[in-house]
Every structure is written in C-alpha cells, then in structure tokens.
Amino acid sequence: MRFLLSSLFLLLVGCASYPKKNGYVASKVQTTVVCNPYFSNPSIDYVYKSNIEVFDRSFGGILVIKKLGQDHHRIAFTTEMGNTLFDFSLKGDNLTINRIIKELDRKILVSVLKRDFLALTTESIQSIENFSKASKMLKKASILGKNHYYVFENDRLLQIIRAKNGKKKVVFLFSGISNNIAKKIDIQHHNFKLKISLKAI
C-alpha cells in the first residue's frame, strides 16, 4: 500500500506543470501580451561573437540579427574571416534558407534553429497564463505549438524556457542587459546536442 501511494505521488509530481514544479502560483495579473525587446529595433544591427556546439562539433564566428520589418528578421552566422555558415530569413513562422554549409544542412537541426530563433526574435506574443513567485513573473505562451515560459523580474526578461511535461527542454538565458540589449545570451538544450553562446560586440 505504501509503495502504491509513493508511486502515485511520484506520478502526480512528474505530471505537474513547469510553473507548479518550480513553486510558481497563478497570478491575477491580466497582462495578455508578452514583450521581448531584445531584437526589436530595426535601426540596430545586433552583432554577437558566437559559438555553436552541435553534433560534437564547434563552430565559432559572428552572428548578426537584423530586424527588417514586422515579424521579419535576417539571421546570418559567418566565420571571423567572413565565410557564411548559415544565412536565414525568418518572417512570421516561415524560415527561408538563403545559404547554409553542408555540415549544418540537416533537416532536424534547421528545424531546431528555426524554433530557437523564432523564440529569440518574437517581439510580442499572446500570453496564455500568468504566474508569480516572489519578485518574478512567469508568462506562458505558445510558439509553433510548444509551451514557452517567459521569466521576468522587475519587468526585465531574464529567461525563456521551453518545457514539456513539466521538464525544461531548452533554456534561453539573458544577461548584461542595457538599453534593451542583452550583452550575453546562452541557449542550452536539454534534449538535443546543441548549445549556442552569444556575446555582444
């Protein structure tokens, strides 16, 4: 009987949502839009020294993100010598590959990068639910059918977490924030061999 109760408890905890597992409670705040300001200014070229670790390989270079219009960004990753590793246009939910090297041209990787860059550059999105814990606010939204949780503290976006069944799948960490620019961004995948590190130049 004790074993049965323990198993039932573990099952219930395992199925708990990400907010509940992490001590957040439903908030009465009725904010319906989540705002991400980090790549929203079309007059700025967002330039980062970058390192991408994928498939047990490491690619270093410069990543440039440019807002071209509403829900429209150009994302280019080049070596420091200027050779293009990939060049994407992201408009709405549609990704166009302008150029990509053979080593990175894998369907599953392009799909994951599309999801990552869409989360990174989406400026405003409808909030499904809101949660709070101490000084932090957690806002749930859906991107390409996946739950994303935006973590704010003092109205500043610190993290975006993609989660499933209460578990983190991808974590976006923003730090060194000034004038709506995150000087450092780390994207850590927990279910795929991919890590992206960005440092503003």
Side-chain angles (χ1 to χ4, degrees):
M1 183 69 175
R2 184 177 295 172
F3 174 77
L4 183 63
L5 289 172
S6 297
S7 298
L8 183 60
F9 175 76
L10 288 173
L11 182 64
L12 290 172
V13 170
C15 294
S17 67
Y18 176 81
K20 183 176 281 189
K21 270 190 171 182
N22 289 275
Y24 286 89
V25 296
S27 171
K28 295 179 181 179
V29 174
Q30 296 301 312
T31 306
T32 57
V33 176
V34 182
C35 294
N36 173 3
Y38 297 136
F39 297 97
S40 61
N41 191 338
S43 66
I44 295 176
D45 291 343
Y46 297 92
V47 183
Y48 290 84
K49 187 170 183 178
S50 310
N51 188 68
I52 296 179
E53 296 175 21
V54 63
F55 302 138
D56 298 318
R57 294 194 59 182
S58 182
F59 299 87
I62 305 296
L63 185 80
V64 180
I65 299 178
K66 176 73 173 177
K67 182 178 179 179
L68 302 177
Q70 185 68 31
D71 300 323
H72 187 191
H73 290 79
R74 185 82 175 258
I75 301 153
F77 182 39
T78 67
T79 67
E80 293 193 10
M81 298 298 290
N83 298 317
T84 301
L85 298 172
F86 63 70
D87 179 357
F88 300 148
S89 293
L90 190 58
K91 191 169 186 180
D93 292 346
N94 298 311
L95 178 79
T96 301
I97 301 173
N98 302 311
R99 192 171 180 185
I100 190 168
I101 62 171
K102 183 179 176 182
E103 293 89 338
L104 297 174
D105 192 10
R106 302 192 192 183
K107 187 174 181 180
I108 187 170
L109 176 59
V110 171
S111 177
V112 170
L113 289 174
K114 172 186 175 179
R115 202 179 294 278
D116 283 357
F117 287 123
L118 189 58
L120 199 61
T121 60
T122 297
E123 187 176 344
S124 61
I125 189 169
Q126 193 75 17
S127 173
I128 301 169
E129 294 179 88
N130 298 308
F131 305 88
S132 62
K133 180 175 71 172
S135 61
K136 291 183 178 178
M137 176 69 70
L138 189 72
K139 299 182 180 184
K140 178 182 175 182
S142 178
I143 297 177
L144 297 177
K146 304 291 185 182
N147 288 332
H148 289 68
Y149 296 92
Y150 291 72
V151 182
F152 290 84
E153 188 165 15
N154 299 321
D155 293 326
R156 179 172 285 181
L157 178 61
L158 301 180
Q159 296 181 45
I160 301 174
I161 298 160
R162 186 181 307 143
K164 184 178 181 181
N165 297 328
K167 295 180 180 178
K168 294 178 181 178
K169 298 298 181 183
V170 189
V171 179
F172 300 74
L173 301 168
F174 304 98
S175 57
I177 299 160
S178 177
N179 297 320
N180 287 334
I181 296 175
K183 302 292 185 182
K184 191 170 186 297
I185 301 172
D186 288 301
I187 304 173
Q188 303 167 351
H189 284 252
H190 293 246
N191 62 338
F192 189 77
K193 285 189 175 181
L194 175 61
K195 183 179 179 182
I196 302 174
S197 300
L198 308 176
K199 291 183 180 179
I201 297 176

Coordinates of all heavy atoms in Angstrom, one line a residue, residues 144-196:
L144 N 4.9 27.8 -32.2 CA 4.9 26.6 -33.0 C 4.4 25.4 -32.3 O 4.9 24.3 -32.4 CB 6.3 26.3 -33.6 CG 6.9 27.4 -34.5 CD1 8.3 27.0 -34.9 CD2 6.0 27.6 -35.8
G145 N 3.3 25.7 -31.5 CA 2.7 24.6 -30.7 C 3.4 24.1 -29.5 O 3.0 23.1 -28.9
K146 N 4.5 24.8 -29.1 CA 5.3 24.4 -27.9 C 5.1 25.4 -26.8 O 5.1 26.6 -27.1 CB 6.7 24.2 -28.3 CG 7.0 23.2 -29.4 CD 6.7 21.8 -29.0 CE 7.1 20.8 -30.1 NZ 6.8 19.4 -29.8
N147 N 5.0 25.0 -25.6 CA 4.9 25.9 -24.4 C 6.2 26.6 -24.1 O 7.2 25.9 -24.0 CB 4.4 25.1 -23.2 CG 3.0 24.7 -23.3 OD1 2.2 25.4 -24.0 ND2 2.6 23.7 -22.6
H148 N 6.2 27.9 -24.1 CA 7.3 28.7 -23.7 C 7.0 29.5 -22.5 O 5.9 30.1 -22.4 CB 7.8 29.6 -24.9 CG 8.4 28.9 -26.0 ND1 7.7 28.0 -26.8 CD2 9.7 28.9 -26.5 CE1 8.5 27.5 -27.7 NE2 9.7 28.0 -27.5
Y149 N 7.9 29.6 -21.5 CA 7.6 30.3 -20.3 C 8.6 31.5 -20.3 O 9.8 31.2 -20.3 CB 7.8 29.5 -19.1 CG 6.7 28.4 -19.0 CD1 6.9 27.1 -19.5 CD2 5.5 28.6 -18.4 CE1 6.0 26.1 -19.5 CE2 4.5 27.6 -18.4 CZ 4.8 26.4 -18.9 OH 3.8 25.4 -18.9
Y150 N 8.1 32.7 -20.2 CA 9.0 33.9 -20.2 C 9.1 34.3 -18.7 O 8.1 34.6 -18.0 CB 8.3 35.0 -21.0 CG 8.3 34.8 -22.5 CD1 7.5 33.8 -23.1 CD2 9.2 35.5 -23.3 CE1 7.5 33.6 -24.4 CE2 9.2 35.3 -24.7 CZ 8.3 34.3 -25.2 OH 8.3 34.1 -26.6
V151 N 10.3 34.4 -18.2 CA 10.6 34.8 -16.8 C 11.0 36.2 -16.8 O 12.0 36.6 -17.3 CB 11.7 33.9 -16.2 CG1 12.0 34.2 -14.8 CG2 11.4 32.4 -16.4
F152 N 10.3 37.0 -16.0 CA 10.5 38.4 -15.9 C 10.8 38.7 -14.4 O 10.2 38.1 -13.5 CB 9.3 39.3 -16.3 CG 9.1 39.3 -17.8 CD1 8.3 38.3 -18.3 CD2 9.5 40.3 -18.6 CE1 8.0 38.3 -19.7 CE2 9.3 40.4 -19.9 CZ 8.5 39.4 -20.5
E153 N 11.7 39.7 -14.2 CA 12.0 40.2 -12.8 C 12.1 41.7 -13.0 O 13.0 42.2 -13.8 CB 13.2 39.6 -12.2 CG 13.3 40.0 -10.7 CD 14.3 39.1 -9.9 OE1 15.1 38.4 -10.6 OE2 14.3 39.2 -8.7
N154 N 11.3 42.5 -12.2 CA 11.3 43.9 -12.4 C 11.1 44.4 -13.8 O 11.8 45.3 -14.3 CB 12.6 44.5 -11.8 CG 12.8 44.2 -10.3 OD1 11.9 44.3 -9.6 ND2 14.0 43.9 -10.0
D155 N 10.2 43.7 -14.5 CA 9.8 44.0 -15.9 C 10.9 43.7 -16.9 O 10.9 44.2 -18.0 CB 9.3 45.4 -16.0 CG 8.0 45.6 -15.3 OD1 7.2 44.7 -15.3 OD2 7.8 46.7 -14.8
R156 N 12.0 43.0 -16.5 CA 13.1 42.7 -17.4 C 13.1 41.2 -17.7 O 13.0 40.3 -16.8 CB 14.4 43.1 -16.7 CG 15.6 42.8 -17.5 CD 16.9 43.4 -16.9 NE 16.9 44.8 -17.1 CZ 17.9 45.6 -16.6 NH1 18.9 45.1 -15.9 NH2 17.9 46.9 -16.8
L157 N 13.1 40.9 -19.0 CA 13.1 39.5 -19.4 C 14.5 38.8 -19.1 O 15.5 39.3 -19.7 CB 12.7 39.4 -20.9 CG 12.7 38.0 -21.5 CD1 11.7 37.1 -20.8 CD2 12.4 38.1 -23.0
L158 N 14.5 37.8 -18.3 CA 15.7 37.1 -17.9 C 15.9 35.8 -18.6 O 17.0 35.3 -18.8 CB 15.8 36.9 -16.4 CG 15.7 38.2 -15.5 CD1 15.8 37.8 -14.1 CD2 16.8 39.2 -15.9
Q159 N 14.8 35.1 -18.8 CA 14.9 33.7 -19.4 C 13.6 33.4 -20.2 O 12.6 34.0 -20.0 CB 14.9 32.7 -18.3 CG 16.1 32.7 -17.4 CD 16.0 31.6 -16.3 OE1 15.7 30.4 -16.7 NE2 16.3 31.9 -15.1
I160 N 13.8 32.6 -21.2 CA 12.7 31.9 -21.9 C 13.0 30.4 -21.7 O 14.1 29.9 -22.0 CB 12.7 32.3 -23.4 CG1 12.5 33.8 -23.6 CG2 11.5 31.6 -24.1 CD1 12.6 34.3 -25.0
I161 N 12.0 29.7 -21.3 CA 12.1 28.3 -21.1 C 11.1 27.5 -21.9 O 9.9 27.8 -21.8 CB 11.9 27.9 -19.6 CG1 13.0 28.6 -18.7 CG2 11.9 26.4 -19.3 CD1 12.6 28.8 -17.3
R162 N 11.5 26.6 -22.7 CA 10.6 25.7 -23.5 C 10.5 24.5 -22.6 O 11.5 23.9 -22.3 CB 11.2 25.4 -24.9 CG 10.2 24.6 -25.7 CD 10.8 24.3 -27.1 NE 11.3 25.5 -27.7 CZ 12.4 25.6 -28.5 NH1 13.2 24.6 -28.7 NH2 12.8 26.8 -29.0
A163 N 9.3 24.1 -22.3 CA 9.1 23.0 -21.4 C 8.0 22.0 -21.9 O 7.1 22.4 -22.6 CB 8.8 23.5 -20.0
K164 N 8.2 20.8 -21.5 CA 7.2 19.8 -21.8 C 7.0 18.8 -20.7 O 8.1 18.4 -20.1 CB 7.6 19.0 -23.1 CG 6.6 18.0 -23.6 CD 7.0 17.3 -24.8 CE 5.9 16.3 -25.3 NZ 6.4 15.6 -26.5
N165 N 5.8 18.5 -20.3 CA 5.5 17.6 -19.1 C 6.3 18.1 -17.9 O 6.8 17.3 -17.1 CB 5.9 16.2 -19.5 CG 5.1 15.6 -20.6 OD1 4.0 16.0 -20.8 ND2 5.7 14.8 -21.4
G166 N 6.3 19.4 -17.7 CA 7.0 20.0 -16.5 C 8.5 20.0 -16.5 O 9.1 20.5 -15.6
K167 N 9.1 19.5 -17.6 CA 10.6 19.5 -17.7 C 11.1 20.5 -18.7 O 10.5 20.7 -19.8 CB 11.0 18.1 -18.1 CG 10.7 17.0 -17.0 CD 11.2 15.7 -17.5 CE 10.9 14.6 -16.5 NZ 11.3 13.2 -16.9
K168 N 12.3 21.1 -18.4 CA 12.9 22.0 -19.3 C 13.5 21.3 -20.5 O 14.1 20.2 -20.3 CB 14.1 22.7 -18.6 CG 13.8 23.6 -17.5 CD 15.0 24.2 -16.8 CE 14.7 25.1 -15.7 NZ 15.9 25.6 -15.0
K169 N 13.2 21.8 -21.7 CA 13.8 21.3 -22.9 C 14.8 22.2 -23.4 O 15.9 21.7 -23.9 CB 12.7 21.0 -23.9 CG 11.6 20.0 -23.5 CD 12.2 18.6 -23.3 CE 11.1 17.6 -22.9 NZ 11.7 16.3 -22.6
V170 N 14.5 23.5 -23.4 CA 15.5 24.5 -23.8 C 15.4 25.7 -22.9 O 14.3 26.1 -22.5 CB 15.2 25.0 -25.3 CG1 16.3 25.9 -25.8 CG2 15.0 23.8 -26.2
V171 N 16.6 26.3 -22.6 CA 16.6 27.5 -21.7 C 17.4 28.6 -22.4 O 18.5 28.3 -22.9 CB 17.2 27.2 -20.4 CG1 17.3 28.4 -19.5 CG2 16.5 26.1 -19.6
F172 N 16.8 29.7 -22.6 CA 17.4 30.9 -23.1 C 17.8 31.8 -21.9 O 16.8 32.2 -21.2 CB 16.5 31.7 -24.0 CG 16.0 30.9 -25.2 CD1 15.1 29.9 -25.1 CD2 16.5 31.2 -26.5 CE1 14.6 29.2 -26.2 CE2 16.1 30.5 -27.6 CZ 15.1 29.5 -27.5
L173 N 19.0 32.2 -21.7 CA 19.4 33.0 -20.6 C 19.9 34.3 -21.1 O 20.8 34.4 -22.0 CB 20.6 32.3 -19.8 CG 20.2 30.9 -19.2 CD1 21.5 30.2 -18.7 CD2 19.2 31.1 -18.0
F174 N 19.4 35.4 -20.6 CA 19.8 36.8 -21.0 C 20.5 37.5 -19.8 O 19.9 37.5 -18.7 CB 18.5 37.6 -21.4 CG 17.7 36.9 -22.5 CD1 16.6 36.2 -22.2 CD2 18.1 37.1 -23.8 CE1 15.8 35.6 -23.1 CE2 17.3 36.5 -24.8 CZ 16.2 35.7 -24.5
S175 N 21.6 38.1 -20.1 CA 22.3 38.8 -19.0 C 23.1 40.0 -19.6 O 23.2 40.2 -20.8 CB 23.3 37.9 -18.3 OG 24.2 37.3 -19.2
G176 N 23.6 40.9 -18.7 CA 24.3 42.1 -19.1 C 23.3 43.0 -19.9 O 23.7 43.5 -20.9
I177 N 22.1 43.1 -19.4 CA 21.1 43.8 -20.1 C 21.2 45.3 -19.9 O 21.3 45.9 -18.8 CB 19.7 43.3 -19.7 CG1 19.6 41.8 -19.9 CG2 18.6 44.1 -20.3 CD1 18.5 41.2 -19.1
S178 N 21.2 46.1 -21.1 CA 21.3 47.5 -21.0 C 20.6 48.1 -22.3 O 20.9 47.6 -23.4 CB 22.7 48.0 -21.0 OG 22.8 49.4 -21.0
N179 N 19.8 49.1 -22.1 CA 19.1 49.7 -23.3 C 18.4 48.7 -24.2 O 18.5 48.8 -25.4 CB 20.1 50.6 -24.1 CG 20.6 51.7 -23.2 OD1 19.9 52.3 -22.5 ND2 21.9 52.0 -23.4
N180 N 17.7 47.7 -23.6 CA 17.0 46.7 -24.3 C 17.9 45.8 -25.2 O 17.5 45.3 -26.2 CB 15.9 47.3 -25.2 CG 14.7 47.8 -24.4 OD1 14.5 47.3 -23.3 ND2 14.0 48.8 -24.8
I181 N 19.2 45.7 -24.8 CA 20.1 44.8 -25.5 C 20.7 43.8 -24.4 O 21.2 44.3 -23.4 CB 21.2 45.6 -26.2 CG1 20.7 46.4 -27.3 CG2 22.3 44.6 -26.7 CD1 21.7 47.3 -28.0
A182 N 20.6 42.6 -24.7 CA 21.2 41.6 -23.9 C 22.6 41.3 -24.3 O 22.9 40.9 -25.5 CB 20.4 40.3 -23.9
K183 N 23.6 41.7 -23.5 CA 25.0 41.6 -23.9 C 25.5 40.1 -24.0 O 26.4 39.8 -24.8 CB 25.9 42.3 -22.9 CG 25.6 43.8 -22.8 CD 25.9 44.6 -24.0 CE 25.7 46.1 -23.8 NZ 25.9 46.9 -25.0
K184 N 24.8 39.3 -23.3 CA 25.2 37.9 -23.3 C 23.9 37.0 -23.4 O 23.0 37.3 -22.6 CB 26.0 37.5 -22.1 CG 26.7 36.1 -22.1 CD 27.6 36.0 -21.0 CE 28.4 34.7 -21.1 NZ 27.6 33.5 -21.0
I185 N 23.9 36.1 -24.3 CA 22.8 35.1 -24.4 C 23.3 33.7 -24.5 O 24.2 33.4 -25.3 CB 21.9 35.5 -25.7 CG1 21.4 36.9 -25.6 CG2 20.8 34.5 -25.8 CD1 20.8 37.4 -26.9
D186 N 22.8 32.8 -23.7 CA 23.1 31.4 -23.8 C 21.9 30.6 -24.0 O 20.8 30.8 -23.4 CB 23.8 31.0 -22.5 CG 25.2 31.5 -22.3 OD1 26.0 31.2 -23.2 OD2 25.4 32.2 -21.3
I187 N 21.9 29.7 -25.0 CA 20.8 28.9 -25.3 C 21.3 27.4 -25.1 O 22.2 26.9 -25.7 CB 20.3 29.0 -26.8 CG1 20.0 30.5 -27.1 CG2 19.1 28.1 -27.1 CD1 19.7 30.8 -28.5
Q188 N 20.6 26.8 -24.1 CA 21.0 25.5 -23.7 C 19.9 24.5 -23.9 O 18.8 24.6 -23.4 CB 21.4 25.5 -22.2 CG 22.5 26.5 -21.8 CD 22.6 26.7 -20.3 OE1 21.8 26.3 -19.5 NE2 23.6 27.5 -19.9
H189 N 20.2 23.4 -24.7 CA 19.3 22.4 -25.0 C 19.5 21.2 -24.0 O 20.6 20.8 -23.8 CB 19.4 21.9 -26.4 CG 18.8 22.9 -27.4 ND1 17.6 22.6 -28.1 CD2 19.2 24.1 -27.9 CE1 17.4 23.6 -28.9 NE2 18.3 24.5 -28.8
H190 N 18.4 20.7 -23.5 CA 18.5 19.6 -22.6 C 18.1 18.2 -23.2 O 18.3 17.2 -22.6 CB 17.5 19.8 -21.4 CG 18.0 21.0 -20.5 ND1 18.4 20.8 -19.2 CD2 18.0 22.3 -20.8 CE1 18.7 22.0 -18.7 NE2 18.5 22.9 -19.6
N191 N 17.6 18.3 -24.5 CA 17.2 17.1 -25.1 C 17.8 16.9 -26.5 O 17.3 16.1 -27.3 CB 15.7 17.0 -25.2 CG 15.1 18.1 -26.0 OD1 15.7 19.2 -26.2 ND2 13.8 17.9 -26.5
F192 N 18.8 17.8 -26.8 CA 19.4 17.8 -28.2 C 20.8 18.3 -28.0 O 21.0 19.2 -27.2 CB 18.6 18.7 -29.1 CG 18.9 18.7 -30.6 CD1 18.6 17.6 -31.4 CD2 19.7 19.7 -31.1 CE1 18.9 17.6 -32.7 CE2 20.0 19.7 -32.5 CZ 19.6 18.6 -33.2
K193 N 21.7 17.8 -28.7 CA 23.1 18.2 -28.6 C 23.4 19.5 -29.3 O 23.9 19.6 -30.4 CB 24.1 17.1 -29.1 CG 24.2 15.9 -28.2 CD 25.3 15.0 -28.7 CE 25.5 13.9 -27.7 NZ 26.6 13.0 -28.2
L194 N 22.9 20.6 -28.7 CA 23.1 21.9 -29.2 C 23.2 23.0 -28.1 O 22.4 23.0 -27.2 CB 21.9 22.3 -30.1 CG 21.8 23.7 -30.7 CD1 23.0 24.0 -31.6 CD2 20.5 24.0 -31.4
K195 N 24.2 23.8 -28.2 CA 24.5 24.9 -27.3 C 24.9 26.1 -28.1 O 25.8 26.0 -28.9 CB 25.5 24.5 -26.2 CG 25.7 25.6 -25.2 CD 26.8 25.1 -24.2 CE 27.0 26.2 -23.1 NZ 28.1 25.8 -22.1
I196 N 24.3 27.2 -27.8 CA 24.6 28.5 -28.5 C 25.0 29.5 -27.5 O 24.2 29.8 -26.6 CB 23.4 29.0 -29.4 CG1 23.0 27.9 -30.4 CG2 23.8 30.3 -30.1 CD1 21.7 28.2 -31.2

